[in-house]
Amino acid sequence: MRKTLSQQEIATIQTTRVEASTGHIHLTTLLAHSSGEWISSDWPVCAARDVEAPHRMGAALTYARRYALFALVGIAGEDDLDAPDAVAGPLPAGPQAAPGTPPKPAKGVLNRAPLLGPPQSAELRDHLLHQLALLTASPDLLAWAKASLPRKNTLLEADARVVEAAYRAKLETASDRAASTAEPLATSDGNSLPSVQAADLNAEAGLQPTLPEAGLAHPKEPPRKRSKAHLLFVREQPCLVCRQTPCDAHHLKFAQARALGRKVSDEFTVPLCRTHHHELHLHGNERAWWANLQIAPLPVAQDLWAASPVHAAAEAAPLAANLGSEAAG
C-alpha cells in the first residue's frame, strides 16, 4: 500500500501521544500530498496503564496503525484474528467463586460427567438394559438413544460396551422385523407396487455386507466405501427419471443405517438430474418418492457399482506389477 501511495506522491506519517485528560494513548495518522494538501485522523488506541503489558500494547498499536491507514485510503482489509484478545480491552471482573467449589472448565474444553463407580455403573447398566428390552420400533430406539447417551457416557467401559452391543442387536432386530412386514407402497393414483417394493428390498438385502459373527465382541459397522472415480462415473450416466444429462450422484440414504455426519457408501449412488435431485430432497420420504415413480434404485446402484471403472483399475494394478516383475526377471 505504501508503495502505491508513494507512486502518487503521497506520504504517510503515523505518530502516537498520551492524552493527559483521559489517560489514553492516541494514534494520529496523516496522509500528505506533494501539493501541500493533507488529511489526518486521530484514534484512541489503549489506556496508558497498558505499558505494564508491552506485548498487549504493541499488538494494539500495530492493529490500530493498520486499520487507521485502511480507513483513510478507503479500502477494506482482510479479517485478521491473529490476536483478537489484544484489542478487546480488559476483561470485566467476574464473580469470584466460593472457596471449595470446583473451578469451571474453560471454553472449548469438553465438560464430561465423571465416571461412576463399579456398583453405580452396574446398577445404571441394568436399568438401561431394562428400558431397552421394552422397546421394539426403530423410532423409539433412536429416541431412547438420544435421551440415554449422556447417562451411558458415565458408565465404565465394560458396562458401556454391553449397553452398546444390546442396542445394536435390538436395532438390527427392529430393522429386520420392519423389512419382513413392510407393505407395498401406494403410488399417487392409489395403485400398489408390490413388485417394485419386493425388488427394492431384495436388492437392499443383497447389497448389505455380511457382518462376521463376533460372539459377545462389540459389533463393528461395515466400512463405507469412498471412490471419486465411481462418483464421476455415476454423474456421466443419464437421470433415472428423465434420462437427461448432466447428473448428480445421489446417495440412497436408506441403503445403510444412519451414522452421525457420514453418508452411505459410494456404492449406493444413482444418477439424478439437478431438478429431480432437488425434488427428492424436498419430498422428505425417499422410499415413497421412488415408489411413486415406479423405480427401484438399489438394483440400479448395484449394476452401476458392478460396471464401475474402479474395479478395472483395481485389477490392472496387480497385473501391471506382475508384468513389471517378469520384465525385471
Side-chain angles (χ1 to χ4, degrees):
M1 181 191 300
R2 295 180 184 272
K3 181 179 180 181
T4 303
L5 291 175
S6 64
Q7 292 174 353
Q8 305 298 324
E9 300 182 352
I10 299 176
T12 61
I13 303 172
Q14 291 184 310
T15 59
T16 58
R17 62 181 174 85
V18 178
E19 185 69 27
S21 60
T22 61
H24 281 74
I25 298 177
H26 284 238
L27 172 70
T28 301
T29 303
L30 184 141
L31 296 183
H33 191 257
S34 59
S35 63
E37 296 183 355
W38 57 273
I39 184 174
S40 67
S41 69
D42 188 75
W43 191 356
V45 179
C46 59
R49 63 175 180 273
D50 285 345
V51 295
E52 299 175 358
H55 175 73
R56 181 184 181 87
M57 183 183 67
L61 286 172
T62 300
Y63 278 78
R65 288 191 179 98
R66 185 184 307 172
Y67 296 146
L69 192 55
F70 286 165
L72 277 182
V73 299
I75 65 174
E78 296 180 354
D79 293 337
D80 195 342
L81 301 178
D82 292 339
D85 57 337
V87 294
L91 295 176
Q96 298 294 331
T101 59
K104 294 183 179 180
K107 291 184 178 180
V109 178
L110 181 61
N111 185 15
R112 182 174 179 177
L115 296 179
L116 299 174
Q120 295 83 359
S121 179
E123 182 180 356
L124 180 57
R125 177 202 62 199
D126 296 339
H127 179 66
L128 294 177
L129 291 176
H130 176 70
Q131 290 182 341
L132 191 58
L134 301 178
L135 303 177
T136 56
S138 296
D140 297 336
L141 291 170
L142 293 176
W144 177 88
K146 292 180 180 179
S148 303
L149 182 60
R151 292 192 296 167
K152 192 273 297 182
N153 290 338
T154 63
L155 296 174
L156 298 178
E157 183 178 358
D159 294 334
R161 288 184 176 274
V162 172
V163 175
E164 291 171 357
Y167 175 76
R168 286 181 177 270
K170 197 77 174 181
L171 190 61
E172 291 176 2
T173 302
S175 300
D176 295 341
R177 185 184 298 108
S180 61
T181 60
E183 298 180 357
L185 296 177
T187 60
S188 56
D189 56 359
N191 297 326
S192 60
L193 299 172
S195 59
V196 173
Q197 184 69 11
D200 204 356
L201 292 175
N202 292 336
E204 180 178 354
L207 286 176
Q208 294 290 351
T210 303
L211 288 174
E213 295 184 2
L216 296 178
H218 185 64
K220 295 184 179 180
E221 181 185 5
R224 304 202 173 201
K225 301 177 182 178
R226 297 287 177 255
S227 173
K228 294 183 178 179
H230 179 66
L231 295 181
L232 181 61
F233 170 71
V234 173
R235 293 189 189 102
E236 295 172 350
Q237 310 304 316
C239 174
L240 291 186
V241 181
C242 62
R243 313 303 298 176
Q244 298 293 322
T245 55
C247 289
D248 297 333
H250 170 68
H251 290 76
L252 301 172
K253 296 181 180 180
F254 56 85
Q256 286 181 311
R258 292 183 178 180
L260 182 62
R262 298 176 62 193
K263 288 186 176 181
V264 300
S265 178
D266 287 347
E267 59 186 309
F268 302 112
T269 52
V270 293
L272 281 179
C273 67
R274 186 60 55 86
T275 301
H276 288 104
H277 197 186
H278 183 63
E279 177 185 333
L280 171 57
H281 283 287
L282 290 179
H283 189 276
N285 189 336
E286 187 171 359
R287 287 183 180 272
W289 189 84
W290 287 110
N292 290 338
L293 294 174
Q294 302 187 19
I295 296 176
L298 280 172
V300 177
Q302 184 181 22
D303 295 339
L304 289 175
W305 179 252
S308 178
V310 298
H311 304 300
E315 294 175 358
L319 179 59
N322 292 335
L323 292 177
S325 60
E326 291 178 1

